[in-house]
């Protein structure tokens, strides 16, 4: 155990995490030159394109240090996005140290700090590294000063490297060996292994990524998952090199995998503790929790015939991603589809792109909504994730919505526009912290519903791309929230139903009505479109009827002949309106989804 080092690399998106991992694999000879490619640990095309790790991965490296000793290094590559914060926290629990990368051109960013605080909370040894020092815009002195102020370490302990060119990479490996402590644990105690991630394999079932804390995993002795109580006989035990390489056992302090044979990741959850069925540990490792979806949206096939393909695609995606939840739902406008729950907007975007690319599906994703807590007059509390499920107003005592703590990093010159934008979206300013002379961290509390629709895009727009954002769930808080329904020809359209703040109901209703008025095709009768909230119509527009000229063949004679024909037409239209139905075209639906939230 004295020659084992477990560490991870933490950084803001696009600060060079995967590139540094590539150089470490090359330097230790873990991946041959023939098999080497950029972002070798990122297996998905989406990860390569977006430059962000979506799925955690692990790799074992052998390194001979300058002191002549051979060390076994376990690198855990963590997801970089805030939506996957729980997976990052579990991966950090599997390590004793973290390499903190900061871009020499950008300095400390929002997620740099978020991941750093997670690492410090897990009591990890931090090795600060400044990357991209060979870039023309690099300012290593300024960034070093930021890190020294942040961590309170001497400036000479901050390593300066270029992961792309390979400059000074060996100093990172030496720092890992010298500064990060070896793993602690009792090899004689009953087995306790932390599951920090998993993926689905067609032949081996669910493959659990584990860090052995106490005891060891040997051969084919039956194992137990302590949170779910499920038992299984392992199919295979081994390590990552970075391919799955079978071995005889995993010992205390080592990182590797256990193939469970399960057919769904639901049984094998991230954060669970693995132990022996025959000789179980007395208590599981701390920190396990059930991951809850924060954002919900409906996913529907463009063609109704593709419903079965969409169902199969979601089933396959869920095999690899236990945080994706879905259930069937129907809509008058869009027919049959699924209500899906996601960890956040980025998670939703990834699922949507994977459905379109990997399964070649044409899909419509409805406007995202959040989960609300509704307290009824009877005292019962409901959790609803679809606005259409909100009970009648007379039954409700209060509606609570999720609030988030958000941190925005911005140059001080954009202080005013950021404050104005967040205030417009019901945000509450809590504090500020200056990071150097021209950068400020602004802290706010804001409802989740206000940041899930183009908040990040608007933030980038008002700060010309310089701001970065991080957020964490705070609490459920009661507010004046109402259901906004859109009625077409006096019939409510469930797909347009939303829950909004009482003060913005009129503006939002008016925006939707204005858009629909231009897009719903004219009928032979007048079609009223209404926005309804709290039992009354707050906005209305009419789609005018197409009119046949019944007077064309009536020439000459008394005016009463013309009146008679017009009255007959009027009665016909009245009867037609009673039996007629209005088809809402999909373009109208998509246009409402794309409605800008400027009027918020």
């Amino acid at each position: 155990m004295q020659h084992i080092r477990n560490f991870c690399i933490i950084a803001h998106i696009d600060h060079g995490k995967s590139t540094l991992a590539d150089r470490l694999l090359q330097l230790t000879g873990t991946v041959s030159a023939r098999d080497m490619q950029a972002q070798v640990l990122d297996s998905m095309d989406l990860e390569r394109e977006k430059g962000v790790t979506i799925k955690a991965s692990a790799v074992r490296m052998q390194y001979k240090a300058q002191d002549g000793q051979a060390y076994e290094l376990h690198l855990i590559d963590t997801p970089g996005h805030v939506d996957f914060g729980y997976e990052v926290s579990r991966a950090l629990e599997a390590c004793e140290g973290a390499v903190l990368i900061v871009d020499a051109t950008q300095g400390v960013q929002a997620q740099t700090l978020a991941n750093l605080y997670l690492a410090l909370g897990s009591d990890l040894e931090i090795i600060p590294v400044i990357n991209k020092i060979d870039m023309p815009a690099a300012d290593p002195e300024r960034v070093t000063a930021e890190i020294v102020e942040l961590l309170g370490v001497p400036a000479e302990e901050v390593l300066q490297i270029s992961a792309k060119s390979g400059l000074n990479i060996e100093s990172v490996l030496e720092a890992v060996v010298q500064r990060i402590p070896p793993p602690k644990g009792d090899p004689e105690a009953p087995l306790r292994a932390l599951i920090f991630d998993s993926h689905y394999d067609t032949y081996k079932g669910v493959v659990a990524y584990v860090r052995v804390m106490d005891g060891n995993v040997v051969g084919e002795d039956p194992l137990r998952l302590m949170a779910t109580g499920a038992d299984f006989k392992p199919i295979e035990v081994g390590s990552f090199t970075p391919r799955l390489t079978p071995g005889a056992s995993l010992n205390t302090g080592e990182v590797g995998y256990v193939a469970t044979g399960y057919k769904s990741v639901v049984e094998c959850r991230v954060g669970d503790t693995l132990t022996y069925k025959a000789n179980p540990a007395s208590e599981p490792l701390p920190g396990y929790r059930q991951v809850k979806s924060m954002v919900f949206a409906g996913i529907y096939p463009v063609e109704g015939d593709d419903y079965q393909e969409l169902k199969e695609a979601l089933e396959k995606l869920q095999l690899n991603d236990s945080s994706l939840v879905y259930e069937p739902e129907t809509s008058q406008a869009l027919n049959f589809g699924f209500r899906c729950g996601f960890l956040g907007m980025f998670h939703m975007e990834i699922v949507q792109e994977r459905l379109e690319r990997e399964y070649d599906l044409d899909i419509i994703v409805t406007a995202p909504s959040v989960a609300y807590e509704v307290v009824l007059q009877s005292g019962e509390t409901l959790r609803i994730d679809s606005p259409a499920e909100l009970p009648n107003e007379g039954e409700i005592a209060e509606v609570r919505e999720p609030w988030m703590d958000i941190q925005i990093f911005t140059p001080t010159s954009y202080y005013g526009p950021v404050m104005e934008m967040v205030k417009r979206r019901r945000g509450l300013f809590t504090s500020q912290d200056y990071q150097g002379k021209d950068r400020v961290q602004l802290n706010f509390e804001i409802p989740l519903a206000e940041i899930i629709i183009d908040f990040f895009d608007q933030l980038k727009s008002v700060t010309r791309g310089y701001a970065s954002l991080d957020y964490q769930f705070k609490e459920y808080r009661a507010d004046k929230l109402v259901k906004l329904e859109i009625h077409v020809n006096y019939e409510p359209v469930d797909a347009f139903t939303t829950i909004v703040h009482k003060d913005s109901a009129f503006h939002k209703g008016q925006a939707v009505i204005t858009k629909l008025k231009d897009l719903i095709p004219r009928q032979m009768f007048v079609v009223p479109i209404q926005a309804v909230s709290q039992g009354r119509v707050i906005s209305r527009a009419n789609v005018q009827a197409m009119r046949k000229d019944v007077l064309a063949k009536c020439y000459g004679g008394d005016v009463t002949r013309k009146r008679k024909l017009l009255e007959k037409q009027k009665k016909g239209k009245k009867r037609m309106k009673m039996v007629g139905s209005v088809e809402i075209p999909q373009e109208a639906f998509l246009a409402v989804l794309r409605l800008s939230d400027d009027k918020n």
Side-chain angles (χ1 to χ4, degrees), residues 258-275:
V258 177
T260 65
Y262 283 132
K263 295 299 174 199
S264 160
V265 283
V266 174
E267 288 103 342
C268 184
R269 295 210 173 255
V270 171
D272 206 342
T273 304
L274 208 57
T275 189

Side-chain angles (χ1 to χ4, degrees), residues 39-209:
Q39 291 167 257
V40 73
L41 293 180
D42 292 344
S43 52
M44 272 188 251
D45 289 342
L46 270 176
E47 291 181 311
R48 294 168 185 283
E49 281 176 29
K50 291 184 179 291
V52 52
T53 303
I54 296 162
K55 200 78 183 121
S57 52
V59 63
R60 177 183 289 187
M61 302 179 284
Q62 303 294 336
Y63 173 62
K64 191 166 184 180
Q66 289 173 2
D67 61 7
Q69 301 283 331
Y71 291 88
E72 188 177 285
L73 310 180
H74 295 131
L75 163 62
I76 296 169
D77 192 19
T78 58
H81 200 274
V82 62
D83 282 3
F84 307 110
Y86 174 61
E87 283 91 327
V88 175
S89 73
R90 296 301 87 209
L92 294 178
E93 287 295 325
C95 304
E96 276 77 39
V99 174
L100 173 72
I101 300 182
V102 181
D103 189 326
T105 62
Q106 294 182 356
V108 174
Q109 299 278 300
Q111 278 162 350
T112 317
L113 272 190
N115 292 336
L116 172 64
Y117 291 150
L118 274 177
L120 290 171
S122 301
D123 204 21
L124 302 191
E125 180 66 38
I126 307 294
I127 299 173
V129 172
I130 297 177
N131 189 21
K132 306 188 186 179
I133 59 167
D134 55 343
M135 296 278 282
D139 189 354
E141 285 73 28
R142 176 180 66 83
V143 179
T144 302
E146 281 183 19
I147 293 173
V148 167
E149 191 179 329
L150 186 66
L151 292 174
V153 296
E156 54 272 17
E157 283 190 18
V158 181
L159 306 176
Q160 297 191 9
I161 66 163
S162 167
K164 196 164 190 178
S165 66
L167 179 69
N168 215 9
I169 297 297
E170 194 155 354
S171 65
V172 177
L173 286 171
E174 282 298 319
V176 166
V177 168
Q178 301 301 330
R179 296 194 215 169
I180 293 177
K184 300 182 181 77
D186 184 356
E188 305 304 319
L191 168 67
R192 289 201 304 172
L194 172 71
I195 298 173
F196 63 86
D197 205 357
S198 62
H199 80 267
Y200 181 77
D201 183 279
T202 314
Y203 303 106
K204 298 169 187 168
V206 174
V207 176
Y209 298 19

Side-chain angles (χ1 to χ4, degrees), residues 194-230:
L194 172 71
I195 298 173
F196 63 86
D197 205 357
S198 62
H199 80 267
Y200 181 77
D201 183 279
T202 314
Y203 303 106
K204 298 169 187 168
V206 174
V207 176
Y209 298 19
V210 299
R211 152 74 197 273
V212 183
M213 298 296 190
D214 297 312
N216 47 33
V217 185
V218 183
E220 298 179 354
D221 295 344
L223 297 169
R224 170 169 293 168
L225 294 159
M226 296 185 80
T228 56

Side-chain angles (χ1 to χ4, degrees), residues 32 138 467:
S32 65

